[in-house]
Amino acid sequence: MNFEEELTKGNFTIPECLSCKKIIWPPAEFCNVCYNETGLKTGQFTGKIIEYSKQNEEYFCMVEFLDSFRLMAKTNDKPEIGKIVKITKCGILNGNYFFQII
Ligand SMILES: [Zn+2]
């Protein structure tokens, strides 16, 4: 499981248990249900904006993925609740996960 390594390269992957297929969020090396190892799903994932707030000129959105977990993502355009979005940029900034959407 090298979620953070992929994230550093700008790739958004989703950790999933190799055995029971549960999505593991926050990312972890082992499944919290069956304790087997996790792997990384890759692809063009879409998420849904659940809520957002504005801070200075930026918007911070709570985005839900695969009906199973939520993460905070930034955008410059005014978000719409329920809108389907993609992560356009991601990485680790000052020790924190960083996601940007359009
Ligand atoms: Zn499992």
Side-chain angles (χ1 to χ4, degrees):
M1 231 285 296
N2 45 7
F3 174 83
E4 293 193 354
E5 201 180 303
E6 288 300 320
L7 196 64
T8 307
K9 290 187 235 163
N11 300 325
F12 175 55
T13 57
I14 295 181
E16 176 190 63
C17 175
L18 294 172
S19 175
C20 74
K21 302 292 175 201
K22 186 180 184 282
I23 288 161
I24 309 299
W25 195 268
E29 231 171 299
F30 296 96
C31 175
N32 55 13
V33 176
C34 72
Y35 307 106
N36 278 294
E37 249 187 284
T38 58
L40 296 172
K41 272 162 94 80
T42 56
Q44 284 292 316
F45 303 110
T46 53
K48 191 167 77 179
I49 296 177
I50 302 296
E51 57 182 41
Y52 66 87
S53 61
K54 192 178 182 194
Q55 224 174 75
N56 302 320
E57 289 314 301
E58 291 176 326
Y59 293 93
F60 290 84
C61 306
M62 187 64 86
V63 185
E64 187 173 85
F65 286 85
L66 310 179
D67 293 322
S68 63
F69 68 93
R70 293 171 179 191
L71 54 82
M72 196 60 99
K74 242 167 58 166
T75 182
N76 297 321
D77 303 322
K78 192 175 189 305
E80 274 169 59
I81 304 280
K83 194 181 171 196
I84 303 299
V85 292
K86 269 185 201 165
I87 289 180
T88 53
K89 241 193 201 174
C90 61
I92 298 179
L93 200 67
N94 304 322
N96 296 310
Y97 296 169
F98 159 87
F99 301 101
Q100 181 151 3
I101 54 168
I102 37 164

